[in-house]
């Protein structure tokens, strides 16, 4: 390959430092260009950096969307839990004074909690008579305590 003479403009301080550390500046610049264009053996060209950064950008957007979706999923779960807690609380607060569940509230709770009526009535009775301390504002806590202690 034939070589061609080239004139470069480089800041004076940079050139002085480069001459101290790099004895053959022409060779160094030529080697950098070979790497950039992928002519160096076994080296990925730096010229692909735009493709790589574009891919990184796309992946960052995907990661953002995944995180957004995760946040949306968490919000959905929290909303569902709140709906369950609300159905349970309404039923429990109505049941406690009379020990008779209101049919409308019972039907709504069966639908929202996904549990059959007989078991739900058993849970109401269990919570009322048990000595187990449970947060009656939380359906998950009530169900967990009932499941763990119902046979005692």
């Amino acid at each position: 390959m034939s070589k061609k003479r080239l004139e470069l403009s480089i800041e004076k301080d940079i050139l002085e430092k480069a001459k101290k550390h790099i004895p053959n500046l022409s060779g160094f610049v030529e080697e950098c260009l070979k790497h950039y264009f992928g002519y160096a053996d076994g080296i990925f060209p730096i010229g692909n950096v735009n493709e790589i950064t574009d891919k990184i950008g796309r992946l960052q957007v995907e990661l953002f969307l995944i995180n957004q979706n995760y946040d949306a999923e968490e919000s959905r779960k929290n909303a569902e839990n709140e709906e369950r807690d609300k159905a349970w609380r309404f039923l429990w607060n109505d049941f406690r004074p009379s020990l008779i569940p209101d049919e409308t509230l019972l039907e709504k709770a069966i639908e929202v909690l996904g549990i059959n009526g007989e078991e739900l009535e058993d849970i109401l009775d269990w919570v009322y008579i048990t000595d187990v301390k449970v947060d009656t504002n939380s359906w998950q806590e009530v169900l967990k305590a009932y499941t763990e202690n119902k046979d005692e």
Side-chain angles (χ1 to χ4, degrees):
M1 262 187 170
S2 66
K3 294 195 177 200
K4 186 156 183 146
R5 190 154 190 72
L6 173 69
E7 184 177 321
L8 293 174
S9 297
I10 300 175
E11 288 182 26
K12 181 181 174 189
D13 294 342
I14 300 293
L15 181 60
E16 287 174 9
K17 193 167 192 163
K19 283 182 179 180
K20 288 180 185 173
H21 294 279
I22 305 167
N24 181 356
L25 278 178
S26 291
F28 176 79
V29 170
E30 184 175 343
E31 196 62 32
C32 287
L33 290 171
K34 283 180 183 178
H35 279 62
Y36 182 87
F37 292 113
Y39 296 134
D41 294 332
I43 303 294
F44 292 101
I46 295 173
N48 288 346
V49 107
N50 288 339
E51 290 175 35
I52 293 168
T53 54
D54 286 348
K55 186 173 184 175
I56 289 170
R58 285 191 306 274
L59 291 173
Q60 285 176 327
V61 169
E62 282 183 44
L63 182 59
F64 171 76
L65 292 174
I66 288 168
N67 286 334
Q68 286 294 102
N69 192 29
Y70 176 78
D71 290 345
E73 182 67 20
E74 283 294 307
S75 295
R76 186 189 61 74
K77 285 179 184 176
N78 290 340
E80 286 175 1
N81 285 338
E82 183 57 39
E83 187 177 352
R84 286 185 197 105
D85 290 347
K86 183 177 167 184
W88 162 255
R89 278 193 311 267
F90 283 2
L91 179 62
W92 170 247
N93 289 334
D94 182 75
F95 172 81
R96 215 174 21 184
S98 64
L99 303 180
I100 300 170
D102 176 84
E103 286 301 315
T104 306
L105 293 174
L106 184 64
E107 286 175 21
K108 177 69 175 173
I110 289 168
E111 177 189 329
V112 173
L113 301 175
I115 194 168
N116 70 54
E118 188 176 305
E119 187 172 13
L120 187 52
E121 287 185 43
D122 288 346
I123 292 171
L124 286 165
D125 291 337
W126 178 84
V127 172
Y128 186 78
I129 63 171
T130 188
D131 290 339
V132 175
K133 298 293 181 219
V134 62
D135 177 7
T136 56
N137 289 316
S138 168
W139 168 246
Q140 291 299 323
E141 292 296 317
V142 168
L143 184 60
K144 180 181 175 192
Y146 172 76
T147 303
E148 291 174 352
N149 301 290
K150 67 181 173 184
D151 297 326
E152 292 179 6

